[in-house]
Amino acid sequence: KQEVTQIPAALSVPEGENLVLNCSFTDSAIYNLQWFRQDPGKGLTSLLLIQSSQREQTSGRLNASLDKSSGRSTLYIAASQPGDSATYLCAAGNTPLVFGKGTRLSVIA
Amino acid sequence: GAVVSQHPSWVICKSGTSVKIECRSLDFQATTMFWYRQFPKQSLMLMATSNEGSKATYEQGVEKDKFLINHASLTLSTLTVTSAHPEDSSFYICSASPRDKTQYFGPGTRLLVL
């Protein structure tokens, strides 16, 4: 059964820092991996989707990598801003997606 | 494209009543729909998977007689919480998947049972 782990559980950084969020999964036979953002009390915002055949995806200041062989993905956020403060969820699987518990990010101005 | 809607976005009900939540894929046909539940400060947990025209498959620990799922068409799935109790208060999120298996998520429904 797929299990997804996210480290760290919480992270607080000053504005402008580059940061990395980590995600690991136990079953490498995934269809895709997605990173989501969730603001308090809100739904999910899809940030990046990496198909199993891909190694990374980029969108603006965000870059996500995927290493299926080691069961790991990272989300890199460049030049963090206070507006980036949210919970970031990693989800992996073969449909349905299995979610990690998330990393709560606070970017301090 | 690939928009999924949920209705209502939030609902408050009395204990013992039933609540129906709708999930619609607006611009694609969803062969499979999924229902997740998220308790405060927790992650999303899959409740059930439904394929159009067939019975839903429930995850272990989810009562199928309490959480009724109907997937009557390729664009609509409903989740009915029967005889709701305060412990059913949660954030319910659906997702829909076309044949390419990518999941598209709805905005969620917040349920509060008093």
Side-chain angles (χ1 to χ4, degrees), chain B residues 43-83:
Chain B
S43 190
L44 280 75
M45 298 300 293
L46 181 69
M47 298 176 66
T49 301
S50 71
N51 293 293
E52 185 264 339
S54 60
K55 290 184 178 181
T57 301
Y58 291 81
E59 295 297 300
Q60 190 173 10
V62 178
E63 300 174 58
K64 63 179 182 180
D65 294 330
K66 180 172 184 62
F67 298 98
L68 302 180
I69 293 173
N70 183 283
H71 191 166
S73 77
L74 286 172
T75 60
L76 173 64
S77 176
T78 60
L79 168 68
T80 300
V81 183
T82 63
S83 186

Side-chain angles (χ1 to χ4, degrees), chain A residues 31-44:
Chain A
Y31 179 73
N32 61 42
L33 184 140
Q34 291 191 49
W35 284 92
F36 297 87
R37 168 183 173 143
Q38 187 174 33
D39 292 289
K42 303 294 185 180
L44 304 178

Side-chain angles (χ1 to χ4, degrees), chain A residues 32-72:
Chain A
N32 61 42
L33 184 140
Q34 291 191 49
W35 284 92
F36 297 87
R37 168 183 173 143
Q38 187 174 33
D39 292 289
K42 303 294 185 180
L44 304 178
T45 299
S46 179
L47 297 174
L48 290 165
L49 182 156
I50 311 176
Q51 299 286 1
S52 61
S53 58
Q54 299 173 323
R55 292 192 64 84
E56 68 175 344
Q57 283 287 332
T58 298
S59 176
R61 295 182 293 108
L62 306 180
N63 175 276
S65 66
L66 173 64
D67 184 342
K68 282 180 56 179
S69 62
S70 66
R72 294 181 182 181

Side-chain angles (χ1 to χ4, degrees), chain A residues 3 14-15 18 29-30 32-33 45 57 65 73 97 104:
Chain A
E3 293 183 5
E15 181 178 6
N18 302 324
I30 60 173
N32 61 42
L33 184 140
T45 299
Q57 283 287 332
S65 66
S73 176
L97 291 169
R104 292 191 310 279

